[in-house]
Structures are given as structure tokens and as C-alpha cells.
Amino acid sequence: MTQSLADEGEREIRAGNFAAAEKLLAGAAKADPHSARVRHLLGVAVHEQGNLDRAIVCYRKAVKFDAGLADLQRDLGAAYMEKRRFGDALACYREAMRQDASDELACMGVGSALREMGDVVAARKHFHRALWLKSMRLLRAPWVAALRFFNRKPS
């Protein structure tokens, strides 16, 4: 039951129906109060509706249940950035990068938080790293391998 409510809530989020998603996910959270996924999705739904305080509460509860989700840490960092709590945002983005060193969005988040805190030199390094990570991700894409195959010189 909880899984199906969470799946329906996620579909509503993807469709942009955040109020409907919130209702579904609130029901799922009551049925399974210890689900990090449900709390995370509920946080996304309320975050998208502009309720940052409630989103932060949901994200923090989700972190209690599973701190190993890089995208959860990124979303919590984004909420903190919007609240102008740059030190907290920086900690979240760094935790996301610790969990996934190739997370270009977390790297960009670290750069943004550092820039807002006045450390422009370190911010610039993170922005450059994020662009490098993005280029590496694109180079690993299947279409790049196909282009290389078809553009190779005949032997």
C-alpha cells in the first residue's frame, strides 16, 4: 500500500501536480513513517509549492532514515540555499559529493554556496569541476561511442 502511494505520488510530482502528490505522500508517510523515500518525495512536493520550512523538515526526517542518498542531500541543500542558510547548504552539498564524487549538481551547489559566502576563488574551482564532470558524463553517453564508431578512419 505504502509503495503504491509513493509511486503514485512520484508520478504526480513528475506531472507537476504537487498538491495531489502532497496528499498521496502524506498518506504514505502515515502508513510508513520511517520511509526515507516517502519523506524525500513529500519534501520535494512541498518544496515545489514554496513551503521551504516544511520541506526542510521532511528532508531532515528522510536523512535520519537514510543519510546515504546523494539526491536527498542535494535537495536539502537547495532548500537551505533558498532560505539563505549557506553554511547548511554547503554541508549538504559536500555530503552529496562525498557520497557521489561525480555528482555535477552537488559540485555546482558547493560552488554556489561558496560564492554566496564570499569565497569566489574556491567557488570558481567547483564550477570548473562541475563543468568537467558534465563533459565526462556526456563523453560516456552511448551516442558518443556510436559517433566515434561511425567517424573512425577506415584501416
Side-chain angles (χ1 to χ4, degrees), residues 1-18:
M1 170 88 176
T2 303
Q3 185 67 29
S4 64
L5 282 174
D7 291 342
E8 284 182 53
E10 189 170 9
R11 277 193 291 278
E12 292 294 336
I13 288 171
R14 291 184 193 283
N17 302 325
F18 303 115

Side-chain angles (χ1 to χ4, degrees), residues 120-138:
V120 179
V121 173
R124 188 172 180 182
K125 288 178 184 176
H126 280 84
F127 291 142
H128 283 241
R129 178 174 165 75
L131 290 173
W132 180 81
L133 287 169
K134 182 176 183 173
S135 67
M136 291 298 102
R137 179 178 49 83
L138 292 174

Side-chain angles (χ1 to χ4, degrees), residues 36-66:
R37 177 177 178 243
V38 169
R39 294 290 178 176
H40 182 196
L41 291 171
L42 181 57
V44 170
V46 297
H47 188 168
E48 290 295 331
Q49 294 178 79
N51 190 341
L52 295 176
D53 294 325
R54 186 157 175 235
I56 289 170
V57 169
C58 290
Y59 293 146
R60 289 179 59 121
K61 283 183 181 178
V63 166
K64 275 189 208 175
F65 303 131
D66 187 357

